[in-house]
Amino acid sequence: MPDTSAPRAGQATVTDRDLCSAIRALAMDAVQKANSGHPGMPMGMAEIALALWRGHYRHNPAHPHWIDRDRFVLSNGHGSMLQYALLHLSGYDLPIGELINFRQFHSKTPGHPEVGITPGVETTTGPLGQGLANAVGMALAEKLLAAQFNRPGFSIVDHRTYVFLGDGCLMEGISHEVASLAGVWKLDKLVALYDDNGISIDGEVKHWFADDTAQRFSAYGWNVIGPIDGHDVGAVDRAITQSKSSDKPTLIACRTVIGQGSPNRAGSEKAHGEALGDAEIALTRQAIGWPHPPFHVPAQVYAGWDARPRGAALERDWNDLFARYTTQFPAEAAEFERRMRGDLPERFADVVADTVKAAFVKKETVATRKASQLALDVLAEAVPEMIGGSADLTGSNLTKWSKATNLRSTNTASSTAGQSAPQFAPGRHINYGVREFGMSAIANGMALHGGLIPFVGTFLTFSDYSRNALRMAALMKQRVIFVFTHDSIGLGEDGPTHQSVEHVASLRLIPHMDVWRPCDTVESIVAWAAAIERKDGPASLMFSRQAVAFLRNGADADAVRKGGYVFSEAAGGIRKAQAVIIATGSEMPLAIEAQKQLAEQGLPVRVVSMPSTTVFDRQDVAYKAKVLPDGLPRVAVEAGVTDGWWKYVRAEGAVLGVDTFGESAPAGTVYKHFGLTAENLVAVVRRLLGSG
């Protein structure tokens, strides 16, 4: 039977070898039992993990969400058993039975680490490079919150972000995007420990990865230490200590052997992603001096790893500090606690309501990207934890509101002649440069850290570049807002490379992603408000470049919040209606004009606005039937691919859209070319009614 006993005081001390062997044994045993997984990385990084977790990592296993804990990210998440072993051994609520059930249904030890599943896991990793990006976001969040809330003698935000990564993370292009930004921002509390084992799935990486990683990161503006012997606990410990005196992010390059301890698999791709086998595990047990049966850890080894007493003391000291901070700075303390809880300011609902009322009064005809900026001018000021940016398209995405200042980090002359000191200006607008993927994954990291509500912007067609980060935001249920402008063929002259056709539909396919495509200033405000309020997932907001007329005569914000609602009723009411037109975004004016023309021809129709199909789909059956009543034929119109609309119009309905790539021409010409005109919409409705 596996040993499930708790560590006991007074046990004999153990050697570093014993502590590392526990990691190696748990990793190879769990992978062997599951017949699935990656034992090589945990076995190769055991000494690195020991140096960090026992000597430097500030955490409290009894309270995984302690605010000022260090953050630990396993970017090379395929080696998840390393993290699970560390969490189990150091005292988290992850009993040995969960390690035995590695990769099994509903266990707390899934194939790759998942936030919200396993206590102590800070982010979901697996797609290589994104863990590093998340870590950059966490380190940036720490720096921003520290700049705002710390006071002399009261460093209530003062923690580090540690990330393990491997060759695969560094081969992914996102590593360039985010490492470059980390250097620019001088994230001095970010420490990356690089498992330089020279092996990936296909074998020795020297045949396809010959970068000088040290020079690469030095060029980014990082402090680079090494290469050092990653199997020398003392060397790793000294490197981490050295990193704390740098004013730059640090990369510690650790030379290791994948599968260390395995006589016949160490140093080979055979140790990377498959079980070692019973015979090799038996040989490895002899080689590492671990005579214990599978999943048995002696009490003295548990005692050697136990981080609970130190963690409790660290948190207790911080609680005492924060109590004194609360006494001296009560307003700041209350604001800090509110933000870390994820609660919005009390007046937020009133601000939204007032902003909607003002939009009804102004009735502005503007591009919805401008409507978005108008909403931000009010909402971002009402929610000080909001922080936004753009991938070098600020003037096009309009993601910078009027009072926002830019985040800057520069070297300026200090008081000491001949020296320079880093200066950090914690603005709320971030210029990310042309880095869509990195930007989105960094935003995920900020959201995971807590205390901030990040949003990022680019052209909708470039959502392809950041797609996997959007998917990860949805998978992790993080409050991140993705702003996409230039949302259709209405982009016009830039042509099909920039005209989004399939992108809105593809984003609607991501589970747990709310997708909004508003048609005017009112819907833009509500879309922003809904995205800000949502604690359990991300939102993608789609905005037009071209102006869209303000056409509404009624419908309040509560109706918009349902994702789909009656925008304009048929002449004579629903009993007189002969069809329903469903429109979204910039195609709403086509629907309203078609409704007018059809009414003049004696064919009254209802117009439904559906700014968010994902939100509308969550409404109850009765509401959806009220908006889209049975017995009336339906026509949907959107300047994009048509497939997703058939579930609303059904087989007897029709969809007017674009099922090919766009054309380079003025927007009006392109719309006319694809039949996206009021006249053609009228013809489609008439044919559907048999009167065309």
Side-chain angles (χ1 to χ4, degrees), residues 156 297 366 441 479 532 535 550-551 613 627 647 656 687:
I156 62 167
V297 178
V366 294
R479 186 194 250 168
I532 293 167
K535 286 186 175 183
F550 189 96
L551 299 167
T613 61
V627 174
K647 69 178 180 178
L656 183 58
R687 284 197 300 271

Side-chain angles (χ1 to χ4, degrees), residues 164-413:
F164 284 3
L165 53 86
D167 292 317
C169 296
L170 296 181
M171 283 187 261
E172 291 286 358
I174 192 173
S175 68
H176 161 72
E177 297 182 24
V178 302
S180 176
L181 281 167
V184 169
W185 295 331
K186 298 177 176 59
L187 300 179
D188 55 305
K189 292 182 181 177
L190 173 64
V191 180
L193 293 112
Y194 168 34
D195 179 30
D196 183 10
N197 61 40
I199 295 292
S200 67
I201 293 173
D202 282 354
E204 295 182 87
V205 301
K206 66 182 181 182
H207 301 297
W208 50 83
F209 182 59
D211 300 13
D212 188 325
T213 299
Q215 288 194 19
R216 171 185 165 189
F217 274 76
S218 179
Y220 291 143
W222 285 54
N223 169 45
V224 179
I225 301 174
I228 64 172
D229 182 355
H231 298 300
D232 183 336
V233 176
V236 179
D237 173 73
R238 290 188 294 274
I240 297 172
T241 299
Q242 183 182 340
S243 74
K244 296 177 183 179
S245 62
S246 176
D247 62 359
K248 303 175 182 179
T250 294
L251 176 77
I252 302 174
C254 305
R255 291 276 171 80
T256 64
V257 176
I258 192 170
Q260 175 77 343
S262 171
N264 299 301
R265 296 288 186 91
S268 163
E269 66 272 17
K270 296 292 286 183
H272 177 87
E274 60 185 77
L276 298 182
D278 290 332
E280 185 65 15
I281 287 176
L283 292 174
T284 304
R285 276 187 150 74
Q286 295 178 20
I288 65 176
W290 190 259
H292 314 292
F295 301 106
H296 176 94
V297 178
Q300 63 268 27
V301 174
Y302 275 122
W305 270 110
D306 190 4
R308 289 172 295 184
R310 176 174 177 265
L314 289 168
E315 184 174 1
R316 185 168 54 250
D317 289 345
W318 184 86
N319 287 337
D320 291 344
L321 175 68
F322 191 72
R324 297 194 302 275
Y325 179 87
T326 300
T327 299
Q328 293 204 29
F329 309 101
E332 289 84 352
E335 175 69 2
F336 178 72
E337 289 185 304
R338 177 191 68 77
R339 292 196 195 181
M340 295 308 296
R341 288 194 307 268
D343 296 340
L344 293 175
E346 290 184 4
R347 287 201 66 254
F348 182 71
D350 293 336
V351 171
V352 173
D354 292 344
T355 308
V356 169
K357 289 177 183 176
F360 269 111
V361 172
K362 293 180 180 179
K363 299 182 182 298
E364 293 176 284
T365 292
V366 294
T368 54
R369 62 170 174 164
K370 181 61 178 178
S372 166
Q373 188 181 45
L374 294 172
L376 268 178
D377 266 341
V378 180
L379 302 183
E381 286 302 306
V383 184
E385 60 265 41
M386 286 182 66
I387 181 165
S390 174
D392 202 44
L393 290 169
T394 301
S396 293
N397 298 150
L398 304 183
T399 48
K400 185 178 181 182
W401 63 102
S402 57
K403 294 184 180 179
T405 58
N406 292 320
L407 182 150
R408 292 290 183 264
S409 184
T410 58
N411 277 334
T412 58

Side-chain angles (χ1 to χ4, degrees), residues 412-423:
T412 58
S414 69
S415 57
T416 304
Q419 295 184 358
S420 62
Q423 301 295 315

